[in-house]
Amino acid sequence: MRKLITYLILFILYCLLTFPIASIDDILKTDNFYLVTGLGFGILNSIIAFIILKWKDSLNIITAFSIAFISLAIAYLLMELRWTPDWDDYGMITAISTNAISSIILWEITFQIKKKYRHSNEY
């Protein structure tokens, strides 16, 4: 039950912070939307990594930015497929939910790796 609540909180956090992170590109006027959102979600994931993973600093940052860029790439690819053009014309709902869900799946994979690594060092 605890994991379910954690993932629900992460899903809501990713969904709520998508628009503020995406609007940073408009504020900075960089015209590089994907880089700005990747960095924004990378920083968000870094905060999560430092709170939850508690690995070495460099490993936390590498893991966090990898999860951010992989999940954004998956979201972009699914948005471009336009599976639901009749109710999601621009693919934004698909991209936001795909980013959140793929990030959560990648975090679970990371947690399982950490758990397996920790248990293998105990023996």
Side-chain angles (χ1 to χ4, degrees), residues 55-103:
W55 283 340
K56 294 179 183 175
D57 292 349
S58 58
L59 191 56
N60 280 338
I61 292 171
I62 290 169
T63 303
F65 277 89
S66 298
I67 289 173
F69 283 112
I70 291 169
S71 62
L72 283 171
I74 292 169
Y76 177 74
L77 290 174
L78 285 178
M79 185 178 77
E80 289 297 315
L81 287 176
R82 300 197 197 292
W83 284 354
T84 56
D86 51 335
W87 65 272
D88 190 13
D89 293 334
Y90 300 105
M92 293 307 294
I93 296 169
T94 304
I96 292 168
S97 59
T98 303
N99 179 39
I101 292 169
S102 61
S103 293

Side-chain angles (χ1 to χ4, degrees), residues 115-123:
K115 185 177 171 182
K116 185 173 183 173
Y117 178 73
R118 183 176 43 199
H119 287 301
S120 66
N121 284 340
E122 290 177 358
Y123 299 112

